[in-house]
């Protein structure tokens, strides 16, 4: 019979745990960007929300840095066009 401590040592458990951490990190980054963008530009359109929700963690981090230089919502639109398939 397996004990919980035995299961926690398996490769499958460790990979699932790591994947959960990555998803959590991505969710946190996405939520932070939504708050920052909304504060700066007001309510975001559903198109922006959908596009940003599909960004990788690396793209989210890049967008977070680029946001510091954005003057208006067109800067966000141009960034998304340049960094996604939009």
């Amino acid at each position: 019979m397996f004990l919980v401590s035995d299961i926690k040592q398996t490769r499958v458990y460790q990979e699932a745990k790591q994947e959960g951490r990555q998803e959590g990190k991505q969710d946190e980054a996405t939520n932070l960007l939504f708050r920052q963008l909304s504060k700066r530009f007001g309510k975001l359109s559903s198109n922006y929300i959908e596009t940003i929700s599909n960004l990788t963690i690396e793209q989210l981090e890049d967008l977070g840095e680029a946001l510091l230089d954005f003057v208006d919502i067109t800067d966000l639109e141009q960034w998304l066009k340049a960094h996604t398939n939009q």
Side-chain angles (χ1 to χ4, degrees):
M1 183 157 105
F2 285 106
L3 298 174
V4 173
S5 59
D6 294 331
I7 293 171
K8 288 183 176 181
Q9 299 304 315
T10 65
R11 188 184 93 241
V12 172
Y13 178 87
Q14 294 297 323
E15 288 174 359
K17 186 175 174 181
Q18 180 62 28
E19 185 176 317
R21 285 185 186 142
Q22 284 299 103
E23 288 176 8
K25 183 178 178 181
Q26 186 161 358
D27 289 344
E28 288 176 17
T30 301
N31 290 333
L32 176 60
L33 277 171
F34 283 148
R35 289 195 322 266
Q36 291 172 324
L37 289 165
S38 294
K39 183 157 179 85
R40 187 115 188 231
F41 303 123
K43 185 176 180 181
L44 298 173
S45 73
S46 59
N47 185 42
Y48 290 135
I49 292 171
E50 182 179 342
T51 302
I52 293 167
S53 294
N54 291 316
L55 295 176
T56 65
I57 190 69
E58 292 81 14
Q59 289 172 313
L60 291 168
E61 290 171 350
D62 291 346
L63 177 56
E65 288 180 22
L67 170 61
L68 298 172
D69 297 325
F70 290 175
V71 175
D72 58 39
I73 195 75
T74 59
D75 292 326
L76 173 61
E77 186 174 333
Q78 291 173 355
W79 190 96
L80 290 171
K81 284 181 181 177
H83 294 89
T84 66
N85 294 329
Q86 298 295 316

